[in-house]
Amino acid sequence: MQILRFDVLDSTNAYAKRNCSLLADQTVIIARQQTAGRGRLDRKWISQEGGLYFSLLLKPQKTDFLPNLTQLMALCVCESLRGLGAESHLKWPNDVLVNSQKICGILSEALFTKNGFVGLVLGVGVNIAQQDLDHVGQPATSLARLQIQTNEDALLQDILNRFFQSYEKLLQYGFETIRGTYLQFFPYIGKTVQIKNAAQEVTGAVQTISPEGKLVLQTPEGFTEISIGDMML
Ligand code: BTN
């Protein structure tokens, strides 16, 4: 695994995508600041100094379980933060929250050429030392706000160690390999939530996360499985 370090980048995801063909499998790109950090659904990810901003570029041979790699990354961040004493939990599909406030977001982007899949970029932003998070469009927190001190490198290493401990198995056998642990940190079973994505808006009671990593909701029309979307309580 190679780590490329930058003081400032536009976006570590954008860098990984621009240079995908030149970069080796399992390259990590980390920046102290991003000038054009991006979140899901075309949102901005304000990236002033003090946060952890990195992208992991993966070029797996087997691509059956790509969406589950994002869930694995969320789980690893959640476990790392718990290791530091933060009572973090997972908000499906891949946000990490503490006290219902967002502390980490993940933007995953798959890259294709005319010959097919060439890489997956897992972009991770963790709020570490930021005190001012008013710009975030939802309740947010940071380790500093929780009175937890850490250094960005130690946290990065811990997250990556956890990720690569489970990576090959997940590639081979899918979400089932991490489902038990994922569910342990997923406190929404039985809660009524609303899911919005490009295709639909559904309200229902959370039943479980399926063996494929999908959210299973009970709606007035019956059970439905959802692969992607924003979950709102
Ligand atoms: C979200 O919750 O909307 C996802 C946020 C992802 C932010 C990270 S920071 C490192 C990487 N580079 C980016 O431009 N975005 C991701």
Side-chain angles (χ1 to χ4, degrees):
M1 186 181 64
Q2 189 189 12
I3 302 189
L4 302 179
R5 294 171 186 281
F6 295 88
D7 268 339
V8 184
L9 274 183
D10 51 350
S11 145
T12 56
N13 268 38
Y15 181 94
K17 290 195 308 183
R18 275 198 301 275
N19 297 290
C20 177
S21 61
L22 306 170
L23 297 173
D25 179 25
Q26 302 187 4
T27 300
V28 177
I29 298 113
I30 174 165
R32 291 160 62 83
Q33 275 175 281
Q34 299 182 117
T35 53
R38 291 175 36 248
R40 290 175 59 226
L41 307 172
D42 265 339
R43 295 181 189 126
K44 286 184 184 159
W45 187 264
I46 306 286
S47 312
Q48 70 272 50
E49 223 171 302
L52 173 63
Y53 313 111
F54 74 92
S55 298
L56 170 61
L57 173 66
L58 298 169
K59 300 181 176 181
Q61 297 299 319
K62 198 164 181 292
T63 55
D64 313 31
F65 304 115
L66 288 187
N68 302 126
L69 289 173
T70 318
Q71 292 173 303
L72 171 61
M73 182 57 88
L75 177 58
C76 292
V77 173
C78 185
E79 289 184 319
S80 284
L81 296 180
R82 283 183 165 257
L84 292 170
E87 291 268 314
S88 50
H89 66 265
L90 295 164
K91 181 160 162 273
W92 180 90
N94 50 42
D95 280 351
V96 184
L97 274 60
V98 178
N99 304 328
S100 303
Q101 299 174 321
K102 184 157 167 167
I103 195 161
C104 166
I106 303 178
L107 173 65
S108 62
E109 300 183 87
L111 304 174
F112 295 88
T113 65
K114 58 181 185 323
N115 300 322
F117 171 79
V118 287
L120 178 73
V121 179
L122 293 180
V124 182
V126 186
N127 300 330
I128 297 187
Q130 298 99 315
Q131 287 288 354
D132 175 16
L133 293 161
D134 293 345
H135 54 268
V136 183
Q138 67 185 91
T141 193
S142 65
L143 287 175
R145 278 202 182 176
L146 298 166
Q147 319 282 333
I148 294 173
Q149 292 190 343
T150 185
N151 100 24
E152 286 141 44
D153 268 342
L155 182 61
L156 173 68
Q157 265 317 325
D158 191 60
I159 293 170
L160 292 173
N161 288 344
R162 290 174 192 274
F163 184 88
F164 284 109
Q165 265 163 33
S166 303
Y167 176 59
E168 293 296 340
K169 238 177 154 182
L170 184 99
L171 277 187
Q172 212 48 39
Y173 304 108
F175 185 73
E176 194 62 274
T177 59
I178 57 165
R179 181 167 178 256
T181 331
Y182 189 101
L183 281 170
Q184 213 179 308
F185 301 131
F186 179 73
Y188 298 99
I189 307 281
K191 300 244 159 70
T192 296
V193 300
Q194 191 187 25
I195 305 295
K196 266 192 193 170
N197 63 31
Q200 57 183 352
E201 210 175 308
V202 195
T203 301
V206 177
Q207 291 304 296
T208 190
I209 308 284
S210 77
E212 293 77 35
K214 295 181 183 170
L215 185 72
V216 184
L217 285 190
Q218 184 173 28
T219 71
E221 290 77 42
F223 290 103
T224 180
E225 289 195 3
I226 303 170
S227 320
I228 195 67
D230 259 6
M231 193 175 102
M232 282 158 298
L233 289 171

